[in-house]
Structure formats: C-alpha cells, structure tokens
Amino acid sequence: MSTEKFVRAWFIVGTDTGIGKTFATCALLHAARSRGKIALGMKPVAAGALRIGDEWINEDAAALRAAGSFDPGLALLNPCCLREPIAPHLAAAEEGVHITPAPLLAAFDALRRQAEVVLVEGVGGFRVPFSADYDSADLAVDLGLPLILVVGMRLGCLSHALLTVEAIAHRGLPLAGWIANHVDPAMLRPEQNVAALEERIPAPLLGRLPWRADGDPQRAASALRLPD
C-alpha cells in the first residue's frame, strides 16, 4: 500500500505588481494552518533584497517564512533571490545569473515533501521575464499547478484581470479561483467591479480581502478559503 503523502499546492499569480499577492498568500497560509494543515509558502524568484546578518532576504520571502508552519530555509523558500528591486531579467543580468527552471522545480519538490499545503507565489504579474527565453508564465506551466489569481481592486483592474485570465487559459492552465484584494480604500464602485469580475471570470471567488491599515494577514485569513 502506498504511503505517499497527499499534498495540495497552488501557484499564486497577480494582475500586476504591488497588488497584494504576498498579503493574500500569507492570509491563505494562515487559513490553512487554522485548519490544522502544515502549510509552507515559496517565492521561487524575487528581486530586491537586504543584507541581514549573513543572508540576503527579500521582503516577500520573509513574510512567507513568518506565515508558514515552520522555516524550511531560504534555499528552498526563495531559491533565486536577486538584490536589486527591478525586473528579474534585468537584476539577473546585472548579477550574471541565468534563471533556469531546474533549481526552482527542485526546491518546490523538496518543500512539498515537508508540508500538506504549499503556496507558490509568483513575481509581479503573470508574464514577468526571467531571461530572454523564460518567464513567470513558463514557470507556471513547468510547475503544472492550479492557479489562484489575486486581483488588486483599483481603477483599471477589470482589464488587467481579464487579460490575465485569458493568458492563463491560453496556456491550458487550470484557474482554481480568484481573490479580490481591496488595495485602494478610495476606489469608486467596488461592489460593482467585483460583480463584473464574478460574471466574467470562469472560476470561483475565494474571498475578498478588505483594505487593512495594519497589514496583518493572520487577521485577514478568515476572509478567504482555499479552493475545493
């Protein structure tokens, strides 16, 4: 009889940069942990890091590490950490790094052997270049995971969200659900915008994250659910 552990994993993508992918991913990690699951986050590629002690640490990776059930180590959690907060392909070129899928996929495989839930957070929007011939959409295909789309609810989000959904479908990737993250507390007609996306996105709304001045993902976890 097989003793292989069943692990659920999703790839978290966003409509753009700065729309709260990390906040949503951390909230989902806390939601999984509140249900008794061993949950870990992963940021395969990150651009922008600070030297802390003997480590280069990306802010998003640090947040995922804090939200997970335990610290698996930065080598697995964030296998490609680039120092400058610029587009990854530019940062990689400046550092003489060529981003390839093999180490990213190996780190993911190692993480999923340690957890019951793994949430892999992308970088920027869905199609962020890593090199001349590889980008974040290619990584999504290589991982082969169902996707969760985080939509930053602000002016312009409708087109960004629907174009991203179209790009996901074009690659034959399953969209497991989407999250409405209210990043702009002054946005006009938020209810109508959410309704417009519910009518047009062929996947369930997994929850709405209200704008939070405290930025505490653990308190926001109750607003979300993991896909069925």
Side-chain angles (χ1 to χ4, degrees):
M1 182 173 62
S2 173
T3 59
E4 184 177 354
K5 181 172 62 177
F6 177 68
V7 179
R8 304 190 74 194
W10 293 271
F11 190 66
I12 316 298
V13 300
T15 50
D16 201 351
T17 191
I19 52 81
K21 286 190 311 300
T22 302
F23 183 74
T25 304
C26 289
L28 285 171
L29 286 169
H30 284 294
R33 292 177 61 191
S34 72
R35 291 163 176 76
K37 301 296 184 181
I38 300 172
L40 294 176
M42 180 187 184
K43 184 88 172 180
V45 177
L50 295 175
R51 182 81 174 185
I52 300 176
D54 59 353
E55 295 180 318
W56 285 94
I57 301 180
N58 170 263
E59 182 181 14
D60 293 349
L64 294 176
R65 179 162 66 174
S69 295
F70 62 89
D71 180 7
L74 288 174
L76 297 183
L77 192 152
N78 181 205
C80 180
C81 182
L82 304 163
R83 297 178 187 179
E84 291 298 319
I86 56 178
H89 73 293
L90 299 178
E94 290 183 6
E95 294 183 31
V97 173
H98 184 61
I99 301 174
T100 60
L104 309 181
L105 299 177
F108 170 71
D109 286 340
L111 279 181
R112 74 187 309 172
R113 290 195 292 270
Q114 303 179 46
E116 296 170 288
V117 171
V118 180
L119 300 178
V120 183
E121 184 195 341
V123 55
F126 181 57
R127 289 209 60 192
V128 174
F130 292 158
S131 66
D133 57 0
Y134 196 67
D135 65 19
S136 55
D138 296 321
L139 175 60
V141 171
D142 287 340
L143 285 167
L145 300 175
L147 274 60
I148 295 174
L149 174 64
V150 180
V151 180
M153 300 303 300
R154 61 190 183 194
L155 187 62
C157 69
L158 299 183
S159 181
H160 288 165
L162 297 177
L163 285 171
T164 303
V165 169
E166 188 176 281
I168 290 169
H170 179 71
R171 284 161 181 78
L173 295 167
L175 181 60
W178 67 283
I179 293 168
N181 187 19
H182 292 271
V183 294
D184 180 4
M187 182 187 188
L188 300 176
R189 312 293 189 273
E191 298 295 333
Q192 293 92 325
N193 277 270
V194 171
L197 290 174
E198 283 194 278
E199 291 173 359
R200 292 166 174 83
I201 295 178
L205 175 62
L206 301 175
R208 296 173 60 176
L209 290 172
W211 184 80
R212 295 191 63 92
D214 62 14
D216 186 345
Q218 187 169 5
R219 292 185 179 182
S222 61
L224 300 181
R225 65 177 178 87
L226 290 168
D228 296 329

